[in-house]
Amino acid sequence: MAATAAAAQESERPEPKSPAEPKRRVQRAAKVRQPSPADIGAALIAEVQQAGRFLRIPDPGDAERARYRRAFDAARQCAPAGYHLKYTGRAKDDICFGLLRVSREDDTEWNRIRLARSRTLTDIDDVIAAVEKDHSAFEVSEEVLPRVLSLIRLFAERAFALHGEIKVSRKRKQPRPLLTVHGITYEISFRERQRQVRYVPKQPGRRTYDWQRVTPARPFEPSGELELRLGIKTEWADTDRKRLEDQIDEVFKVLKARAQEQERARLKYEAEQRRLREEREAEQRRLQEERARQEAERQRLEAEKRQRRQEKWEAALSVASIKAVDAARAETFGTALDQWRAAGEIRAFCDALDEAADQADDPDEAESFREWSAWGRSEADRLDPVLSRRGLRGRNFHAEPTGEHHESPGHTQHLRSLPNPERFTP
């Protein structure tokens, strides 16, 4: 029992813990950097530019259409200077983007593309079906028609890879495929070469003369060799070494070079127009500056003329003022002198009255003489400019002429002699 209990107790003891193993760090996958709206917009702008400023996405799915809508919202903010981005096909049909010049030179082309969505067939299967149904626009036989349709499909695949398209107008009676690539549209035309076949009729025609020979007919029949025309100088055709199917790369190289040439010509024309516009603006600014300079010069000369006239008028006015002051002084002095002389004569007359009063026998008569003499002396003192405050004692020698002198003939003559500033000319 003791052994069993000891064994049980021994079994109940906890086993020694092994050293803890270090925890393994879970390596998280690095986060993929999501492109910013600016990157998305710049990528769409580059894609549209690569397509020749007009890009078509054939009937995208809902997810792809939503992605292009978000890209358009981001691309509007980063359009190149002088351009703005437009698109159509928000909810259905193809999506078309257009990088249009703000000068509205591309509005006609954009309206044509926008309205053509409802007037054209853009699905390649629909285009091929329309051409297969009516291929009267092409000078080909029924034997080579499958090859023509195959070539149209090859052109469509290459055009789609370059953001182009092939379409057929619904309005035209004869379906004529239109190839749009690098922003330029070309009309595709196929023609089958004819070869001449010698043919001699079994029954020769009736001869008028014995020596006459019947000329054998030389009809033509389809040769199976195709010619491709796109409305430009360069044309392509089947040769002994290369068929048209093997020349598609060359065709698109020529179209790309032609588009680049037209783009260079357009840029050159725009640069020339911009140079001419800048020259016109510079000439207008020069003329405006010249007119402003002439106006400033005219105003300066006019100001100098007015200044000289003002100076002459002020100088003449100063001389006239001096003369007016002298005239006023002369008038005041002359008036005082007349009053002084009158006072002296009155005093002399009063002296005579006093003598007469002293010699008079009648006291009343003597008193009357003395009364007149007293009044005369007081009057003489009042008139005397030396004694009276109204005389020279109350006059300021340096005083300017006042209204008292304006009524005098002498002062009026001096005022009339003052110069008018408008009469002075430089």
Side-chain angles (χ1 to χ4, degrees):
M1 293 292 292
T4 303
Q9 186 177 3
E10 185 69 23
S11 62
E12 292 178 0
R13 291 179 181 176
E15 296 180 358
K17 295 182 180 180
S18 60
E21 296 181 358
K23 293 183 179 180
R24 294 181 180 178
R25 295 182 178 177
V26 180
Q27 294 183 355
R28 297 181 179 178
K31 292 184 178 180
V32 180
R33 178 180 175 272
Q34 297 295 330
S36 64
D39 296 336
I40 297 175
L44 179 58
I45 292 293
E47 189 176 358
V48 175
Q49 288 177 329
Q50 184 180 359
R53 297 192 296 111
F54 295 99
L55 172 65
R56 185 180 72 88
I57 311 298
D59 197 17
D62 294 340
E64 187 178 7
R65 191 183 299 275
R67 182 174 64 84
Y68 272 108
R69 284 200 300 265
R70 291 192 297 269
F72 171 76
D73 292 337
R76 286 189 301 179
Q77 309 301 326
C78 53
Y83 293 85
H84 63 278
L85 186 66
K86 286 189 175 182
Y87 92 112
T88 183
R90 178 180 179 84
K92 62 180 181 178
D93 297 333
D94 299 345
I95 294 181
C96 296
F97 292 97
L99 191 60
L100 312 181
R101 287 170 283 190
V102 296
S103 57
R104 305 182 68 87
E105 298 177 29
D106 301 318
D107 286 1
T108 301
E109 179 67 14
W110 173 248
N111 290 333
R112 185 189 65 79
I113 293 174
R114 182 173 57 84
L115 297 175
R117 294 173 60 249
S118 59
R119 302 176 182 175
T120 58
L121 298 173
T122 57
D123 185 78
I124 184 57
D125 294 331
D126 296 338
V127 171
I128 291 178
V131 174
E132 186 178 9
K133 182 179 179 181
D134 181 6
H135 58 276
S136 59
F138 302 146
E139 299 177 15
V140 296
S141 62
E142 294 291 340
E143 288 75 11
V144 298
L145 179 60
R147 189 173 164 220
V148 169
L149 301 179
S150 176
L151 284 170
I152 292 176
R153 187 176 292 276
L154 289 176
F155 273 104
E157 293 174 355
R158 289 299 305 274
F160 291 158
L162 297 174
H163 307 288
E165 64 177 356
I166 283 187
K167 58 187 177 182
V168 169
S169 174
R170 300 174 187 264
K171 301 293 184 179
R172 304 185 68 172
K173 294 182 179 180
Q174 297 176 323
R176 296 176 180 269
L178 301 175
L179 169 65
T180 301
V181 64
H182 303 298
I184 305 176
T185 301
Y186 307 90
E187 181 177 313
I188 300 177
S189 176
F190 291 100
R191 178 179 177 273
E192 186 177 3
R193 289 176 176 174
Q194 302 291 313
R195 61 186 176 189
Q196 193 176 45
V197 180
R198 181 180 177 86
Y199 171 72
V200 179
K202 294 180 180 180
Q203 297 179 357
R206 183 178 179 179
R207 294 181 298 177
T208 306
Y209 303 100
D210 295 339
W211 50 264
Q212 185 178 1
R213 299 176 60 184
V214 177
T215 304
R218 296 183 180 272
F220 292 86
E221 65 179 13
S223 65
E225 298 177 354
L226 290 177
E227 295 179 352
L228 171 66
R229 299 175 181 176
L230 297 176
I232 59 178
K233 293 182 179 180
T234 307
E235 296 181 357
W236 295 267
D238 289 332
T239 63
D240 296 338
R241 294 184 178 182
K242 281 187 177 183
R243 304 182 72 190
L244 280 178
E245 288 83 350
D246 301 326
Q247 301 180 44
I248 291 182
D249 291 341
E250 180 183 348
V251 172
F252 279 90
K253 286 182 180 178
V254 171
L255 297 183
K256 181 178 180 180
R258 189 169 183 271
Q260 291 175 346
E261 181 181 355
Q262 288 190 2
E263 182 67 13
R264 286 192 296 269
R266 184 186 66 81
L267 294 176
K268 182 179 179 181
Y269 173 78
E270 290 181 354
E272 180 66 16
Q273 294 299 315
R274 184 166 54 253
R275 184 186 65 82
L276 295 176
R277 183 171 62 255
E278 291 175 354
E279 288 182 356
R280 289 194 299 268
E281 292 175 354
E283 180 65 16
Q284 291 177 359
R285 288 195 299 270
R286 188 190 66 79
L287 293 176
Q288 291 177 357
E289 292 174 356
E290 179 65 20
R291 286 194 292 267
R293 187 190 63 79
Q294 292 178 357
E295 179 63 18
E297 180 67 15
R298 187 191 66 78
Q299 293 180 1
R300 186 186 65 80
L301 294 176
E302 185 67 21
E304 291 180 355
K305 181 179 178 180
R306 288 195 301 269
Q307 181 65 22
R308 289 193 296 269
R309 185 188 302 123
Q310 183 70 17
E311 292 175 354
K312 287 187 177 183
W313 181 79
E314 291 178 354
L317 182 62
S318 177
V319 173
S321 298
I322 293 173
K323 292 181 178 180
V325 170
D326 289 341
R329 289 173 181 172
E331 182 180 357
T332 301
F333 192 85
T335 302
L337 179 60
D338 293 340
Q339 291 176 347
W340 179 78
R341 287 174 178 172
E345 292 177 357
I346 291 174
R347 290 191 182 98
F349 179 63
C350 289
D351 291 340
L353 289 176
D354 290 339
E355 290 180 3
D358 292 338
Q359 295 175 4
D361 295 334
D362 186 357
D364 295 333
E365 184 179 354
E367 183 63 24
S368 177
F369 285 152
R370 290 188 180 92
E371 287 178 352
W372 281 108
S373 174
W375 179 85
R377 291 184 184 278
S378 63
E379 189 66 18
D381 292 342
R382 186 183 65 80
L383 292 177
D384 192 347
V386 178
L387 301 178
S388 175
R389 291 187 175 276
R390 297 180 59 187
L392 295 179
R393 293 175 61 185
R395 301 285 183 175
N396 185 3
F397 180 77
H398 301 285
E400 296 291 334
T402 59
E404 298 177 356
H405 306 87
H406 290 175
E407 300 177 357
S408 61
H411 189 67
T412 302
Q413 183 178 2
H414 284 290
L415 288 178
R416 290 177 179 176
S417 66
L418 291 178
N420 185 353
E422 296 299 329
R423 298 178 182 175
F424 286 92
T425 56

